[in-house]
Amino acid sequence: MADEQLEAEWVRGWCEQADAALTELMQSFQARHGPGRNVVARATNESRRATDKLVELTPIPSDLTTMYWVIGEVSLPDVDSGYFVHPASTVASDFREYGAIQIDGEEPALVFASDGGGHLFALAGSGRVWRSTTASWFDQFDLAAANLREFFAELTGRIIGQL
C-alpha cells in the first residue's frame, strides 16, 4: 500500500536479508567473474547529517528520511545491469541541479536511485516509486513500485534471482 509508512526496523531487516543474499551471490559470482563490489552501506553520522541537510533543502517523503536513517547508500553493480540507491548528499546535489521530478497526478518526486542503464527512480510524496522510461530527468516516468517496501523487496528478488 502506498500510504503505509516505512519503518526503520523493516529497513534494518531488509539490510540483513540483502547482505545475506549478496554474500551468497558474491561467492558464486567471484568463481565465475572475479571479484565484484556490491554493498548495502549502513547510515553513518555523516550520512545522517547529509539527510538533515536534504530535509532542510526540500520537503522529502518521510519514507525516504526513514530509509536514509538506516541506509547510507546501496551499490549493486553486479545485480542485473546494476542498481544504486544514491546517498542523501547526491540526492541534494541532484535536486539543486535538476529540481524535483514532475509526474502527472503526483506530488513532486525526488530521484533517489538509478540502475546501470541510467534509468532513474524517484519517490513521490504519495509514497509511490517511479522509474524513468529513458536515461533522462525530463522524459516520462512509469510506476515502478507501490512504495519503498515493494521497491526493496523487488531488489532482493533480483539479487536472489541471480544465485
Short mmCIF file of all heavy atoms in Angstrom, two decimals, residues 60-128:
data_model
loop_
_atom_site.label_atom_id
_atom_site.label_comp_id
_atom_site.label_asym_id
_atom_site.label_seq_id
_atom_site.Cartn_x
_atom_site.Cartn_y
_atom_site.Cartn_z
N ILE A 60 10.94 16.22 1.86
CA ILE A 60 11.11 14.92 1.25
C ILE A 60 10.12 13.95 1.88
O ILE A 60 9.73 14.14 3.03
CB ILE A 60 12.56 14.37 1.36
CG1 ILE A 60 12.94 14.02 2.80
CG2 ILE A 60 13.56 15.38 0.81
CD1 ILE A 60 14.28 13.31 2.91
N PRO A 61 9.70 12.94 1.13
CA PRO A 61 8.78 11.96 1.70
C PRO A 61 9.38 11.34 2.97
O PRO A 61 10.57 11.05 3.02
CB PRO A 61 8.64 10.92 0.58
CG PRO A 61 8.96 11.67 -0.67
CD PRO A 61 10.03 12.66 -0.27
N SER A 62 8.54 11.16 3.98
CA SER A 62 9.03 10.65 5.27
C SER A 62 9.68 9.28 5.12
O SER A 62 10.62 8.96 5.85
CB SER A 62 7.91 10.61 6.30
OG SER A 62 6.89 9.72 5.90
N ASP A 63 9.20 8.46 4.18
CA ASP A 63 9.81 7.14 3.98
C ASP A 63 11.25 7.26 3.52
O ASP A 63 12.10 6.43 3.88
CB ASP A 63 9.02 6.32 2.97
CG ASP A 63 7.72 5.77 3.54
OD1 ASP A 63 7.47 5.96 4.75
OD2 ASP A 63 6.96 5.15 2.78
N LEU A 64 11.56 8.29 2.76
CA LEU A 64 12.94 8.50 2.31
C LEU A 64 13.82 8.88 3.51
O LEU A 64 14.95 8.41 3.63
CB LEU A 64 12.97 9.57 1.23
CG LEU A 64 14.13 9.54 0.26
CD1 LEU A 64 14.26 8.19 -0.42
CD2 LEU A 64 13.99 10.64 -0.78
N THR A 65 13.29 9.72 4.39
CA THR A 65 14.03 10.07 5.60
C THR A 65 14.29 8.82 6.44
O THR A 65 15.41 8.59 6.90
CB THR A 65 13.25 11.10 6.44
OG1 THR A 65 12.96 12.23 5.62
CG2 THR A 65 14.05 11.55 7.64
N THR A 66 13.26 8.01 6.63
CA THR A 66 13.41 6.76 7.39
C THR A 66 14.47 5.88 6.76
O THR A 66 15.34 5.35 7.46
CB THR A 66 12.07 6.01 7.46
OG1 THR A 66 11.10 6.84 8.10
CG2 THR A 66 12.21 4.70 8.22
N MET A 67 14.41 5.72 5.45
CA MET A 67 15.39 4.89 4.75
C MET A 67 16.80 5.40 4.99
O MET A 67 17.71 4.64 5.31
CB MET A 67 15.09 4.85 3.26
CG MET A 67 16.06 3.99 2.46
SD MET A 67 16.04 4.36 0.69
CE MET A 67 16.94 5.91 0.66
N TYR A 68 16.99 6.73 4.84
CA TYR A 68 18.34 7.29 4.98
C TYR A 68 18.85 7.28 6.42
O TYR A 68 20.05 7.40 6.64
CB TYR A 68 18.39 8.70 4.40
CG TYR A 68 18.56 8.71 2.90
CD1 TYR A 68 17.72 9.45 2.09
CD2 TYR A 68 19.56 7.96 2.29
CE1 TYR A 68 17.88 9.46 0.71
CE2 TYR A 68 19.71 7.95 0.91
CZ TYR A 68 18.87 8.70 0.13
OH TYR A 68 19.03 8.70 -1.23
N TRP A 69 18.00 7.12 7.40
CA TRP A 69 18.47 6.98 8.78
C TRP A 69 19.02 5.57 9.03
O TRP A 69 19.71 5.34 10.01
CB TRP A 69 17.37 7.34 9.77
CG TRP A 69 17.34 8.81 9.97
CD1 TRP A 69 16.55 9.71 9.33
CD2 TRP A 69 18.19 9.58 10.83
NE1 TRP A 69 16.86 10.98 9.74
CE2 TRP A 69 17.86 10.94 10.66
CE3 TRP A 69 19.21 9.25 11.73
CZ2 TRP A 69 18.50 11.96 11.35
CZ3 TRP A 69 19.84 10.28 12.42
CH2 TRP A 69 19.49 11.61 12.22
N VAL A 70 18.72 4.64 8.12
CA VAL A 70 19.21 3.27 8.25
C VAL A 70 20.27 2.97 7.18
O VAL A 70 21.30 2.37 7.46
CB VAL A 70 18.05 2.25 8.15
CG1 VAL A 70 18.57 0.82 8.24
CG2 VAL A 70 17.01 2.51 9.24
N ILE A 71 20.01 3.37 5.95
CA ILE A 71 20.89 3.06 4.81
C ILE A 71 21.59 4.34 4.35
O ILE A 71 20.93 5.35 4.07
CB ILE A 71 20.07 2.49 3.63
CG1 ILE A 71 19.41 1.17 4.02
CG2 ILE A 71 20.95 2.31 2.41
CD1 ILE A 71 18.45 0.65 2.97
N GLY A 72 22.92 4.28 4.24
CA GLY A 72 23.66 5.40 3.69
C GLY A 72 23.62 5.41 2.18
O GLY A 72 23.43 6.44 1.55
N GLU A 73 23.79 4.23 1.59
CA GLU A 73 23.68 4.05 0.14
C GLU A 73 23.71 2.56 -0.18
O GLU A 73 24.11 1.74 0.64
CB GLU A 73 24.76 4.80 -0.63
CG GLU A 73 26.15 4.22 -0.52
CD GLU A 73 27.17 5.02 -1.32
OE1 GLU A 73 27.07 5.05 -2.56
OE2 GLU A 73 28.05 5.61 -0.69
N VAL A 74 23.31 2.23 -1.40
CA VAL A 74 23.34 0.86 -1.88
C VAL A 74 24.02 0.89 -3.25
O VAL A 74 23.67 1.69 -4.10
CB VAL A 74 21.92 0.26 -2.02
CG1 VAL A 74 21.97 -1.14 -2.62
CG2 VAL A 74 21.20 0.25 -0.67
N SER A 75 25.00 0.01 -3.43
CA SER A 75 25.70 -0.10 -4.70
C SER A 75 25.74 -1.56 -5.10
O SER A 75 26.41 -2.38 -4.46
CB SER A 75 27.12 0.46 -4.58
OG SER A 75 27.80 0.34 -5.81
N LEU A 76 24.98 -1.90 -6.13
CA LEU A 76 24.86 -3.28 -6.60
C LEU A 76 25.20 -3.35 -8.09
O LEU A 76 24.33 -3.66 -8.92
CB LEU A 76 23.45 -3.81 -6.34
CG LEU A 76 22.94 -3.72 -4.90
CD1 LEU A 76 21.48 -4.12 -4.83
CD2 LEU A 76 23.79 -4.58 -3.97
N PRO A 77 26.44 -3.08 -8.47
CA PRO A 77 26.78 -3.07 -9.89
C PRO A 77 26.68 -4.43 -10.56
O PRO A 77 26.56 -4.50 -11.79
CB PRO A 77 28.22 -2.55 -9.91
CG PRO A 77 28.76 -2.89 -8.56
CD PRO A 77 27.59 -2.78 -7.63
N ASP A 78 26.70 -5.51 -9.79
CA ASP A 78 26.69 -6.86 -10.36
C ASP A 78 25.32 -7.52 -10.32
O ASP A 78 25.19 -8.70 -10.64
CB ASP A 78 27.72 -7.74 -9.64
CG ASP A 78 29.11 -7.15 -9.74
OD1 ASP A 78 29.48 -6.70 -10.85
OD2 ASP A 78 29.83 -7.12 -8.73
N VAL A 79 24.29 -6.79 -9.91
CA VAL A 79 22.92 -7.32 -9.89
C VAL A 79 22.22 -6.80 -11.15
O VAL A 79 22.03 -5.59 -11.31
CB VAL A 79 22.17 -6.90 -8.62
CG1 VAL A 79 20.72 -7.34 -8.68
CG2 VAL A 79 22.87 -7.46 -7.38
N ASP A 80 21.87 -7.72 -12.04
CA ASP A 80 21.33 -7.36 -13.35
C ASP A 80 22.29 -6.36 -13.99
O ASP A 80 23.48 -6.58 -14.03
CB ASP A 80 19.91 -6.81 -13.24
CG ASP A 80 18.89 -7.88 -12.86
OD1 ASP A 80 19.18 -9.08 -13.03
OD2 ASP A 80 17.80 -7.52 -12.39
N SER A 81 21.76 -5.23 -14.46
CA SER A 81 22.64 -4.23 -15.07
C SER A 81 23.17 -3.24 -14.03
O SER A 81 23.88 -2.32 -14.37
CB SER A 81 21.88 -3.47 -16.17
OG SER A 81 20.85 -2.69 -15.60
N GLY A 82 22.81 -3.46 -12.77
CA GLY A 82 23.25 -2.61 -11.68
C GLY A 82 22.10 -1.83 -11.07
O GLY A 82 21.17 -1.43 -11.77
N TYR A 83 22.16 -1.65 -9.75
CA TYR A 83 21.18 -0.84 -9.02
C TYR A 83 21.94 -0.03 -7.98
O TYR A 83 22.83 -0.55 -7.31
CB TYR A 83 20.13 -1.72 -8.33
CG TYR A 83 19.17 -2.31 -9.32
CD1 TYR A 83 19.41 -3.56 -9.87
CD2 TYR A 83 18.04 -1.60 -9.74
CE1 TYR A 83 18.55 -4.10 -10.82
CE2 TYR A 83 17.18 -2.14 -10.69
CZ TYR A 83 17.45 -3.39 -11.21
OH TYR A 83 16.60 -3.91 -12.16
N PHE A 84 21.52 1.24 -7.83
CA PHE A 84 22.23 2.14 -6.94
C PHE A 84 21.23 3.03 -6.21
O PHE A 84 20.46 3.75 -6.86
CB PHE A 84 23.20 3.02 -7.74
CG PHE A 84 24.09 2.20 -8.64
CD1 PHE A 84 23.72 1.93 -9.95
CD2 PHE A 84 25.27 1.65 -8.15
CE1 PHE A 84 24.52 1.15 -10.78
CE2 PHE A 84 26.07 0.86 -8.97
CZ PHE A 84 25.70 0.61 -10.28
N VAL A 85 21.22 2.97 -4.89
CA VAL A 85 20.47 3.92 -4.08
C VAL A 85 21.48 4.99 -3.70
O VAL A 85 22.47 4.71 -3.03
CB VAL A 85 19.85 3.25 -2.83
CG1 VAL A 85 19.20 4.30 -1.94
CG2 VAL A 85 18.82 2.19 -3.26
N HIS A 86 21.24 6.19 -4.19
CA HIS A 86 22.19 7.27 -4.03
C HIS A 86 22.24 7.77 -2.58
O HIS A 86 21.22 7.77 -1.90
CB HIS A 86 21.80 8.44 -4.92
CG HIS A 86 21.60 8.06 -6.35
ND1 HIS A 86 20.86 8.81 -7.22
CD2 HIS A 86 22.02 6.99 -7.07
CE1 HIS A 86 20.85 8.25 -8.41
NE2 HIS A 86 21.53 7.12 -8.34
N PRO A 87 23.41 8.21 -2.13
CA PRO A 87 23.49 8.82 -0.80
C PRO A 87 22.69 10.12 -0.78
O PRO A 87 22.48 10.77 -1.82
CB PRO A 87 24.99 9.07 -0.60
CG PRO A 87 25.62 8.91 -1.92
CD PRO A 87 24.70 8.15 -2.81
N ALA A 88 22.26 10.52 0.41
CA ALA A 88 21.46 11.74 0.55
C ALA A 88 22.19 12.96 0.00
O ALA A 88 21.56 13.86 -0.57
CB ALA A 88 21.09 11.95 2.02
N SER A 89 23.50 12.99 0.13
CA SER A 89 24.27 14.13 -0.40
C SER A 89 24.13 14.23 -1.92
O SER A 89 24.04 15.33 -2.47
CB SER A 89 25.74 14.03 0.00
OG SER A 89 26.29 12.82 -0.49
N THR A 90 24.09 13.10 -2.61
CA THR A 90 23.90 13.09 -4.06
C THR A 90 22.49 13.53 -4.42
O THR A 90 22.29 14.29 -5.38
CB THR A 90 24.19 11.70 -4.64
OG1 THR A 90 25.55 11.37 -4.35
CG2 THR A 90 23.95 11.63 -6.14
N VAL A 91 21.50 13.07 -3.65
CA VAL A 91 20.12 13.46 -3.90
C VAL A 91 19.98 14.99 -3.77
O VAL A 91 19.34 15.64 -4.59
CB VAL A 91 19.15 12.72 -2.95
CG1 VAL A 91 17.72 13.23 -3.11
CG2 VAL A 91 19.21 11.22 -3.20
N ALA A 92 20.63 15.55 -2.75
CA ALA A 92 20.58 17.00 -2.55
C ALA A 92 21.25 17.73 -3.71
O ALA A 92 20.71 18.72 -4.23
CB ALA A 92 21.26 17.38 -1.23
N SER A 93 22.40 17.25 -4.13
CA SER A 93 23.11 17.87 -5.25
C SER A 93 22.28 17.80 -6.53
O SER A 93 22.16 18.79 -7.26
CB SER A 93 24.46 17.17 -5.44
OG SER A 93 25.13 17.68 -6.55
N ASP A 94 21.70 16.64 -6.79
CA ASP A 94 20.85 16.48 -7.98
C ASP A 94 19.62 17.37 -7.92
O ASP A 94 19.19 17.95 -8.92
CB ASP A 94 20.43 15.02 -8.15
CG ASP A 94 21.57 14.12 -8.58
OD1 ASP A 94 22.62 14.64 -9.03
OD2 ASP A 94 21.43 12.88 -8.45
N PHE A 95 19.04 17.51 -6.71
CA PHE A 95 17.87 18.36 -6.56
C PHE A 95 18.23 19.81 -6.87
O PHE A 95 17.48 20.52 -7.55
CB PHE A 95 17.29 18.26 -5.14
CG PHE A 95 16.13 19.18 -4.93
CD1 PHE A 95 14.88 18.86 -5.40
CD2 PHE A 95 16.31 20.39 -4.26
CE1 PHE A 95 13.81 19.73 -5.23
CE2 PHE A 95 15.25 21.26 -4.08
CZ PHE A 95 13.99 20.94 -4.56
N ARG A 96 19.40 20.25 -6.39
CA ARG A 96 19.83 21.62 -6.69
C ARG A 96 19.99 21.84 -8.20
O ARG A 96 19.67 22.89 -8.72
CB ARG A 96 21.15 21.93 -5.98
CG ARG A 96 21.00 22.22 -4.52
CD ARG A 96 22.33 22.69 -3.91
NE ARG A 96 22.34 22.42 -2.51
CZ ARG A 96 22.88 21.34 -1.93
NH1 ARG A 96 23.49 20.43 -2.65
NH2 ARG A 96 22.83 21.18 -0.62
N GLU A 97 20.49 20.82 -8.88
CA GLU A 97 20.75 20.95 -10.32
C GLU A 97 19.49 20.77 -11.17
O GLU A 97 19.27 21.51 -12.13
CB GLU A 97 21.81 19.95 -10.76
CG GLU A 97 22.22 20.12 -12.20
CD GLU A 97 23.46 19.33 -12.58
OE1 GLU A 97 24.16 18.81 -11.69
OE2 GLU A 97 23.72 19.24 -13.80
N TYR A 98 18.67 19.77 -10.85
CA TYR A 98 17.54 19.40 -11.71
C TYR A 98 16.16 19.68 -11.12
O TYR A 98 15.18 19.67 -11.84
CB TYR A 98 17.60 17.92 -12.06
CG TYR A 98 18.87 17.50 -12.74
CD1 TYR A 98 19.83 16.76 -12.07
CD2 TYR A 98 19.13 17.87 -14.06
CE1 TYR A 98 21.01 16.37 -12.69
CE2 TYR A 98 20.30 17.49 -14.69
CZ TYR A 98 21.24 16.74 -14.00
OH TYR A 98 22.40 16.36 -14.61
N GLY A 99 16.08 19.85 -9.81
CA GLY A 99 14.78 20.02 -9.15
C GLY A 99 14.08 18.69 -8.95
O GLY A 99 14.67 17.62 -9.14
N ALA A 100 12.83 18.76 -8.58
CA ALA A 100 12.01 17.56 -8.38
C ALA A 100 11.47 17.09 -9.72
O ALA A 100 11.37 17.85 -10.68
CB ALA A 100 10.87 17.85 -7.42
N ILE A 101 11.11 15.83 -9.78
CA ILE A 101 10.50 15.24 -10.98
C ILE A 101 9.00 15.53 -10.94
O ILE A 101 8.35 15.32 -9.91
CB ILE A 101 10.74 13.71 -11.01
CG1 ILE A 101 12.23 13.40 -11.05
CG2 ILE A 101 10.00 13.07 -12.17
CD1 ILE A 101 12.97 13.92 -12.25
N GLN A 102 8.47 16.00 -12.05
CA GLN A 102 7.05 16.28 -12.15
C GLN A 102 6.37 15.13 -12.88
O GLN A 102 6.71 14.82 -14.01
CB GLN A 102 6.82 17.60 -12.90
CG GLN A 102 7.50 18.79 -12.26
CD GLN A 102 7.04 19.06 -10.84
OE1 GLN A 102 5.84 19.02 -10.55
NE2 GLN A 102 7.97 19.32 -9.95
N ILE A 103 5.43 14.50 -12.20
CA ILE A 103 4.69 13.38 -12.77
C ILE A 103 3.21 13.74 -12.69
O ILE A 103 2.72 14.13 -11.63
CB ILE A 103 4.97 12.07 -11.98
CG1 ILE A 103 6.47 11.74 -12.05
CG2 ILE A 103 4.13 10.92 -12.50
CD1 ILE A 103 6.93 10.69 -11.08
N ASP A 104 2.51 13.62 -13.81
CA ASP A 104 1.09 13.98 -13.83
C ASP A 104 0.32 13.28 -12.72
O ASP A 104 0.45 12.07 -12.54
CB ASP A 104 0.46 13.61 -15.19
CG ASP A 104 0.95 14.51 -16.31
OD1 ASP A 104 1.47 15.61 -16.02
OD2 ASP A 104 0.82 14.12 -17.48
N GLY A 105 -0.47 14.05 -11.99
CA GLY A 105 -1.31 13.49 -10.95
C GLY A 105 -0.58 13.14 -9.67
O GLY A 105 -1.16 12.52 -8.78
N GLU A 106 0.68 13.49 -9.55
CA GLU A 106 1.51 13.16 -8.38
C GLU A 106 2.08 14.43 -7.76
O GLU A 106 2.26 15.43 -8.44
CB GLU A 106 2.71 12.31 -8.79
CG GLU A 106 2.56 10.85 -8.67
CD GLU A 106 2.41 10.28 -7.28
OE1 GLU A 106 2.42 10.99 -6.26
OE2 GLU A 106 2.26 9.06 -7.20
N GLU A 107 2.39 14.32 -6.50
CA GLU A 107 3.19 15.36 -5.87
C GLU A 107 4.59 15.26 -6.46
O GLU A 107 4.97 14.21 -6.96
CB GLU A 107 3.25 15.12 -4.36
CG GLU A 107 1.90 15.18 -3.68
CD GLU A 107 1.98 14.78 -2.22
OE1 GLU A 107 2.99 15.10 -1.57
OE2 GLU A 107 1.03 14.14 -1.75
N PRO A 108 5.37 16.34 -6.42
CA PRO A 108 6.74 16.26 -6.96
C PRO A 108 7.51 15.09 -6.32
O PRO A 108 7.30 14.76 -5.16
CB PRO A 108 7.35 17.60 -6.58
CG PRO A 108 6.17 18.52 -6.45
CD PRO A 108 5.06 17.66 -5.92
N ALA A 109 8.37 14.48 -7.12
CA ALA A 109 9.11 13.29 -6.68
C ALA A 109 10.61 13.59 -6.68
O ALA A 109 11.10 14.37 -7.49
CB ALA A 109 8.81 12.13 -7.62
N LEU A 110 11.32 12.96 -5.75
CA LEU A 110 12.77 13.12 -5.65
C LEU A 110 13.46 11.88 -6.19
O LEU A 110 13.13 10.76 -5.80
CB LEU A 110 13.20 13.30 -4.19
CG LEU A 110 13.03 14.66 -3.58
CD1 LEU A 110 13.49 14.64 -2.13
CD2 LEU A 110 13.80 15.71 -4.34
N VAL A 111 14.43 12.08 -7.06
CA VAL A 111 15.24 10.96 -7.56
C VAL A 111 16.15 10.51 -6.44
O VAL A 111 16.89 11.32 -5.86
CB VAL A 111 16.05 11.38 -8.80
CG1 VAL A 111 17.05 10.30 -9.17
CG2 VAL A 111 15.12 11.67 -9.97
N PHE A 112 16.10 9.21 -6.13
CA PHE A 112 16.91 8.67 -5.05
C PHE A 112 17.75 7.47 -5.48
O PHE A 112 18.60 6.99 -4.73
CB PHE A 112 16.05 8.26 -3.85
CG PHE A 112 15.21 7.02 -4.10
CD1 PHE A 112 15.65 5.78 -3.66
CD2 PHE A 112 14.02 7.10 -4.79
CE1 PHE A 112 14.91 4.64 -3.89
CE2 PHE A 112 13.26 5.96 -5.03
CZ PHE A 112 13.71 4.73 -4.58
N ALA A 113 17.53 6.97 -6.69
CA ALA A 113 18.22 5.76 -7.12
C ALA A 113 18.30 5.72 -8.64
O ALA A 113 17.65 6.51 -9.33
CB ALA A 113 17.48 4.51 -6.60
N SER A 114 19.11 4.79 -9.14
CA SER A 114 19.23 4.59 -10.58
C SER A 114 19.64 3.15 -10.85
O SER A 114 20.00 2.41 -9.94
CB SER A 114 20.27 5.55 -11.18
OG SER A 114 21.53 5.34 -10.60
N ASP A 115 19.57 2.77 -12.11
CA ASP A 115 20.08 1.46 -12.48
C ASP A 115 21.27 1.66 -13.41
O ASP A 115 21.61 2.78 -13.78
CB ASP A 115 18.99 0.56 -13.09
CG ASP A 115 18.46 1.04 -14.44
OD1 ASP A 115 19.12 1.84 -15.12
OD2 ASP A 115 17.37 0.59 -14.82
N GLY A 116 21.92 0.57 -13.77
CA GLY A 116 23.12 0.65 -14.60
C GLY A 116 22.86 1.12 -16.01
O GLY A 116 23.80 1.49 -16.72
N GLY A 117 21.61 1.17 -16.42
CA GLY A 117 21.26 1.68 -17.74
C GLY A 117 20.96 3.16 -17.73
O GLY A 117 20.59 3.73 -18.74
N GLY A 118 21.09 3.79 -16.56
CA GLY A 118 20.85 5.22 -16.44
C GLY A 118 19.42 5.60 -16.13
O GLY A 118 19.11 6.78 -16.00
N HIS A 119 18.53 4.61 -16.00
CA HIS A 119 17.15 4.92 -15.62
C HIS A 119 17.14 5.40 -14.17
O HIS A 119 17.91 4.91 -13.34
CB HIS A 119 16.26 3.68 -15.76
CG HIS A 119 16.14 3.24 -17.18
ND1 HIS A 119 16.89 2.21 -17.68
CD2 HIS A 119 15.37 3.69 -18.20
CE1 HIS A 119 16.59 2.05 -18.96
NE2 HIS A 119 15.68 2.94 -19.30
N LEU A 120 16.27 6.33 -13.89
CA LEU A 120 16.18 6.94 -12.57
C LEU A 120 14.96 6.44 -11.83
O LEU A 120 13.91 6.15 -12.44
CB LEU A 120 16.08 8.46 -12.73
CG LEU A 120 17.19 9.11 -13.54
CD1 LEU A 120 16.86 10.57 -13.82
CD2 LEU A 120 18.52 8.97 -12.84
N PHE A 121 15.08 6.36 -10.51
CA PHE A 121 13.95 6.01 -9.65
C PHE A 121 13.67 7.21 -8.75
O PHE A 121 14.59 7.77 -8.15
CB PHE A 121 14.27 4.78 -8.79
CG PHE A 121 14.43 3.53 -9.59
CD1 PHE A 121 15.68 3.14 -10.03
CD2 PHE A 121 13.33 2.74 -9.91
CE1 PHE A 121 15.85 1.99 -10.78
CE2 PHE A 121 13.49 1.58 -10.67
CZ PHE A 121 14.75 1.20 -11.10
N ALA A 122 12.40 7.60 -8.69
CA ALA A 122 12.00 8.76 -7.91
C ALA A 122 10.87 8.37 -6.96
O ALA A 122 9.99 7.59 -7.32
CB ALA A 122 11.54 9.89 -8.83
N LEU A 123 10.93 8.92 -5.75
CA LEU A 123 9.90 8.68 -4.75
C LEU A 123 9.03 9.92 -4.66
O LEU A 123 9.54 11.02 -4.43
CB LEU A 123 10.52 8.36 -3.39
CG LEU A 123 9.53 8.05 -2.28
CD1 LEU A 123 8.79 6.74 -2.55
CD2 LEU A 123 10.23 7.99 -0.93
N ALA A 124 7.73 9.73 -4.85
CA ALA A 124 6.77 10.84 -4.77
C ALA A 124 6.24 10.96 -3.35
O ALA A 124 6.38 10.05 -2.53
CB ALA A 124 5.62 10.60 -5.75
N GLY A 125 5.61 12.09 -3.08
CA GLY A 125 5.01 12.31 -1.77
C GLY A 125 3.95 11.28 -1.42
O GLY A 125 3.68 11.02 -0.25
N SER A 126 3.34 10.67 -2.43
CA SER A 126 2.33 9.63 -2.22
C SER A 126 2.96 8.34 -1.68
O SER A 126 2.27 7.45 -1.21
CB SER A 126 1.64 9.30 -3.54
OG SER A 126 2.57 8.73 -4.45
N GLY A 127 4.30 8.24 -1.79
CA GLY A 127 4.99 7.01 -1.38
C GLY A 127 5.28 6.09 -2.55
O GLY A 127 6.00 5.11 -2.40
N ARG A 128 4.72 6.39 -3.72
CA ARG A 128 4.97 5.54 -4.89
C ARG A 128 6.35 5.81 -5.48
O ARG A 128 6.85 6.93 -5.45
CB ARG A 128 3.90 5.77 -5.94
CG ARG A 128 2.55 5.20 -5.52
CD ARG A 128 1.54 5.38 -6.60
NE ARG A 128 1.09 6.77 -6.56
CZ ARG A 128 -0.17 7.14 -6.67
NH1 ARG A 128 -1.11 6.25 -6.88
NH2 ARG A 128 -0.51 8.40 -6.63
#
